């Protein structure tokens, strides 16, 4: 299945949360096979949008459509990674990565193979930790395990819900490079509140501004990701993004 | 060292205060027998006491096992079947607000003087705390995990078995601790209302014959038994949670 076919079309999207209008006739086309970043301040509603894309908000509670380019639904083509690695503390790294088999009750040829999981974990530098439980791992290792789990799902669309915000600066930078490498050619939608992170990784950045988001300002950073954050051009773009973010009042 | 010595110091202190109290108040042995008299009764009637204690122990253990099992089943039932909640919750509240002691005579009437009525008493007392604690744990599956399971296409039953139940174990184990602490109440109340064996029966019987030293000896055995049962349960539950890395309610 060619990954580039997985454009995500959001059309006439209306969403309210606790009597507050978050999205008001919002339309956006996210490019397939590219790294799309939704940038916005805390509480602006970017998480809600990501949840809607992931199918976690039932379509009955919002108006508008979120579909693939060919009009098909996205569910079943999506994997999801969050700030919390969501590893099960009683399972070791390998078992955690293969949890999808258990949850979908797959076995035999349908299941994700152990060998594939092991070789991916080895690539991610976790070879020596296969039998370790999450409590004994560092934050970065836990997030790498979560990344392995996400990748093994092998879906064309990957949604990232601020996956790096709980990591320390150096680990975060390492995770940026690693994630960028492994998610090449996937349709990535990442939300973040960090303009620098967005500039480092994004093919295209969409700035979401409340209240009642009606449209997103788009920015295509120069050069190809992952970018060097010391680049001067990038710093200029950083200023642009900061301005765009700060000329509205944050809601919370 | 102090940790090991502490129980002995407390017990010795307790016995000392008891003896002093007997000495000062000059209480007759049919009101408050001296510790030595109680130990004498314990020694002389040891076989009688252990026979009756065995019956009570059996009642407590059976009550605990059956009550916990029923409690777990109801909690699972409540957590998985939505309509069950509306029907079962009032019944649960009724069984709990009705003083179980008031039911004891009826239970004896229906189930006879033997073991079943006492076990039923213990079950009634244990059932609610176990159900409530486990159900609460099952309801508190982290939102992020629910989202991840949904995106991963998890089967509800597999999600329950592999994620929700293990994550609810810390809550269940608090319920089981309460259950173990209250189970002896059920057994003893049952024996008081009508029985021909067990420590509760022996105490009533001894009381009627002014054998207060025997009554105290029975009480002593009962407390040692209850404390041992509680501490064993507590220890085993802690070991289990530690083994599953679920102690301190770690969930990530």
């Amino acid at each position: 299945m060619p990954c580039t076919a997985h454009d995500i079309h959001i059309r006439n999207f209306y969403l309210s949360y606790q009597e507050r209008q978050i999205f008001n006739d919002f339309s956006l086309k996210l490019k397939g096979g590219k790294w799309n970043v939704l940038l916005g301040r805390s509480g602006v509603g970017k998480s809600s949008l990501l949840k809607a894309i992931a199918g976690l908000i039932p379509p009955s509670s919002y108006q508008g459509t979120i579909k693939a380019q060919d009009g098909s639904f996205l569910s079943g083509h999506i994997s999801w990674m969050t700030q919390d690695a969501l590893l099960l503390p009683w399972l070791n790294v390998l078992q955690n990565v293969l949890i999808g088999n258990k949850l979908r009750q797959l076995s035999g040829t349908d299941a994700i193979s152990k060998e594939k999981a092991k070789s991916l974990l080895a690539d991610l530098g976790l070879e020596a930790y296969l039998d370790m439980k999450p409590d004994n791992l560092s934050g970065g290792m836990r997030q790498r395990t979560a990344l392995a789990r996400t990748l093994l799902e092998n879906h064309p669309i990957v949604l990232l819900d601020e996956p790096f915000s709980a990591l320390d600066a150096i680990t975060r930078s390492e995770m940026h490079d690693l994630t960028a490498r492994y998610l090449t050619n996937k349709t990535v939608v990442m939300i973040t509140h960090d303009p620098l992170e967005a500039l480092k990784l994004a093919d295209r950045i969409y700035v979401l501004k409340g209240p009642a988001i009606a449209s997103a300002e788009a920015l295509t950073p120069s050069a190809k990701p992952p970018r060097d954050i010391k680049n001067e051009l990038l710093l200029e773009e950083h200023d642009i993004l900061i301005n765009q973010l700060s000329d509205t009042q944050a809601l919370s | 060292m102090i940790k090991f010595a502490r129980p002995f110091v407390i017990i010795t202190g307790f016995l000392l205060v008891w003896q002093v109290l007997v000495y000062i108040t000059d209480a007759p042995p049919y009101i408050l027998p001296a510790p030595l008299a109680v130990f004498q009764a314990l020694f002389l009637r040891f076989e009688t006491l252990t026979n009756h204690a065995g019956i009570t122990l059996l009642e407590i253990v059976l009550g605990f096992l059956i009550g916990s099992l029923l409690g777990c089943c109801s909690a699972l039932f409540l957590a998985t079947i939505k309509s069950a909640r509306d029907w079962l919750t009032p019944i649960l509240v009724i069984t709990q607000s009705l003083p179980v002691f008031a039911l004891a005579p009826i239970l004896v009437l229906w189930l006879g003087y033997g073991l079943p009525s006492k076990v039923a008493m213990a079950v009634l007392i244990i059932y609610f705390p176990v159900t409530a604690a486990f159900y609460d744990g099952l309801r508190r599956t982290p939102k992020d995990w629910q989202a991840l399971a949904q995106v991963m296409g998890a089967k509800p039953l597999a999600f329950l078995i592999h994620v929700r139940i293990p994550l609810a174990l810390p809550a269940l184990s608090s319920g089981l601790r309460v259950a173990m602490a209250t189970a002896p109440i059920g057994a003893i109340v049952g024996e008081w209302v009508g029985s021909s064996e067990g420590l509760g029966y022996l105490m009533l019987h001894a009381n009627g014959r002014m054998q207060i030293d025997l009554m105290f000896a029975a009480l002593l055995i009962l407390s040692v038994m209850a404390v041992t049962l509680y501490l064993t349960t507590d220890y085993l539950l802690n070991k289990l949670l530690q083994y599953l890395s679920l102690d301190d309610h770690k969930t990530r």
Side-chain angles (χ1 to χ4, degrees):
Chain A
M1 190 179 334
C3 298
T4 42
H6 284 89
D7 283 5
I8 299 171
H9 288 243
I10 302 164
R11 285 199 193 92
N12 312 103
F13 183 65
Y14 291 85
L15 178 72
S16 304
Y17 179 69
Q18 291 178 347
E19 315 251 313
R20 185 161 74 77
Q21 187 90 28
I22 305 176
F23 287 95
N24 187 12
D25 196 15
F26 176 80
S27 295
L28 185 67
K29 196 178 120 185
L30 297 164
K31 251 193 131 7
K34 297 284 179 196
W35 195 305
N36 304 276
V37 172
L38 304 174
L39 181 66
R41 296 173 71 159
S42 303
V44 76
K46 50 195 192 308
S47 270
S48 305
L49 181 58
L50 201 71
K51 284 203 176 103
I53 296 173
L56 294 169
I57 299 176
S60 54
S61 52
Y62 62 80
Q63 287 176 44
T65 56
I66 300 176
K67 285 182 176 173
Q69 190 171 26
D70 55 7
S72 63
F73 287 103
L74 300 168
S75 64
H77 301 283
I78 289 177
S79 41
W80 162 271
M81 191 172 155
T82 57
Q83 177 183 334
D84 189 335
L86 292 177
L87 304 178
L88 296 170
W90 58 91
L91 298 181
N92 66 30
V93 167
L94 186 63
Q95 290 165 331
N96 258 303
V97 162
L98 291 170
I99 187 71
N101 288 344
K102 279 189 184 169
L103 291 180
R104 287 186 292 268
Q105 294 172 320
L106 299 176
S107 57
T109 46
D110 298 332
I112 304 160
S113 84
K114 234 181 191 166
E115 284 64 41
K116 200 173 154 195
K118 275 186 185 168
S119 85
L120 177 63
L121 285 168
D123 283 350
L124 290 166
L126 290 167
E127 195 168 21
Y129 304 97
L130 294 182
D131 299 325
M132 289 262 227
K133 289 190 175 172
D135 282 350
N136 303 321
L137 302 176
S138 68
M141 287 178 187
R142 282 210 288 270
Q143 208 57 337
R144 268 184 276 163
T145 311
L147 177 64
R149 183 185 60 204
T150 311
L151 291 170
L152 285 171
E153 292 289 298
N154 200 21
H155 289 313
I157 301 172
V158 178
L159 306 181
L160 303 174
D161 188 353
E162 307 200 26
F164 312 117
S165 53
L167 302 172
D168 66 85
I170 295 174
T171 314
R172 186 191 303 195
S173 173
E174 286 167 3
M175 278 303 290
H176 282 161
D177 296 334
L178 213 60
T179 316
R181 181 141 49 89
Y182 280 95
L183 293 183
T184 328
N185 294 331
K186 298 229 186 233
T187 306
V188 179
V189 184
M190 177 170 88
I191 60 174
T192 181
H193 49 74
D194 180 1
L196 215 55
E197 186 170 84
L199 282 166
K200 189 170 173 189
L201 297 168
D203 287 303
R204 210 163 160 76
I205 300 171
Y206 300 94
V207 181
L208 299 181
K209 285 191 285 192
I213 304 165
S215 63
E217 283 183 62
L219 179 102
T220 309
S222 43
K224 274 207 174 305
R227 301 177 189 86
D228 179 9
I229 50 167
K230 289 187 209 99
N231 186 322
E232 256 181 54
L233 212 65
L234 189 138
L235 288 176
E236 277 172 33
E237 286 161 354
H238 183 243
D239 283 343
I240 297 172
L241 285 179
I242 291 280
N243 279 331
Q244 285 182 347
L245 281 172
S246 54
D247 64 14
T248 51
Q249 303 112 342
L251 286 161
S252 58
Chain B
M1 193 59 208
I2 291 178
K3 201 181 160 195
F4 281 107
R6 192 175 288 135
F8 296 104
V9 173
I10 291 174
I11 289 169
T12 318
F14 174 71
L15 291 174
L16 214 68
V17 170
W18 182 358
Q19 181 66 59
V20 169
L21 209 64
V22 171
Y23 185 76
I24 296 174
T25 57
D26 203 18
Y30 56 85
I31 297 291
L32 181 66
L36 212 64
V38 170
F39 281 108
Q40 207 176 14
L42 186 70
F43 184 73
L44 287 174
R45 308 288 301 274
F46 193 69
E47 214 181 299
T48 317
L49 282 164
T50 43
N51 281 342
H52 287 287
I55 302 290
T56 305
L57 181 68
L58 188 65
E59 290 162 2
I60 295 174
V61 172
L62 278 180
F64 176 76
L65 292 178
I66 298 173
S68 306
L69 203 69
L70 279 177
C72 289
C73 291
S74 318
L76 285 171
F77 195 57
L78 285 171
T80 43
I81 300 166
K82 274 215 175 95
S83 56
R85 212 164 304 157
D86 308 331
W87 287 101
L88 267 179
T89 321
I91 297 175
L92 270 173
V93 173
I94 290 170
T95 62
Q96 200 50 27
S97 50
L98 203 74
V100 192
F101 299 76
L103 287 176
I106 300 170
L107 287 177
V108 172
L109 182 71
W110 287 347
L111 301 172
Y113 275 75
L115 201 69
S117 56
K118 284 85 205 170
V119 173
M121 243 349 251
V123 167
L124 272 178
I125 286 192
I126 287 167
Y127 175 70
F128 186 77
V130 173
T131 307
F134 193 32
Y135 176 49
D136 200 41
L138 287 170
R139 262 190 338 176
R140 284 167 198 263
T141 310
K143 282 229 161 58
D144 281 351
W145 247 113
Q146 292 177 19
L148 185 68
Q150 201 183 329
V151 174
M152 285 175 98
K155 301 246 164 60
L157 186 65
F159 182 50
L160 182 73
I161 292 170
H162 293 293
V163 181
R164 291 181 68 195
I165 291 179
L167 284 178
L169 285 181
L172 172 62
S173 71
S174 338
L176 291 178
R177 282 193 191 94
V178 174
M180 204 28 142
T182 48
I185 301 177
I188 295 295
V189 168
E191 286 173 0
W192 276 356
V193 173
S195 66
S196 52
E197 43 192 1
L199 285 176
Y201 161 77
L202 186 66
M203 284 169 80
L204 269 191
H205 187 75
N207 193 16
R209 292 165 180 233
M210 285 295 203
Q211 294 171 326
I212 308 303
D213 48 355
L214 182 63
M215 197 177 135
F216 269 75
L219 188 63
L220 194 72
I221 290 200
L222 180 65
S223 23
V224 169
M225 205 160 75
V227 170
T228 313
L229 280 173
Y230 177 79
L231 290 179
T232 313
T233 314
D234 186 51
Y235 175 80
L236 291 176
L237 288 172
N238 278 339
K239 277 278 160 217
L240 175 72
L241 292 186
Q242 236 169 51
Y243 174 71
L244 294 173
S245 311
L246 280 167
D247 42 338
D248 298 333
H249 298 271
K250 288 174 204 153
T251 48
R252 50 181 74 178

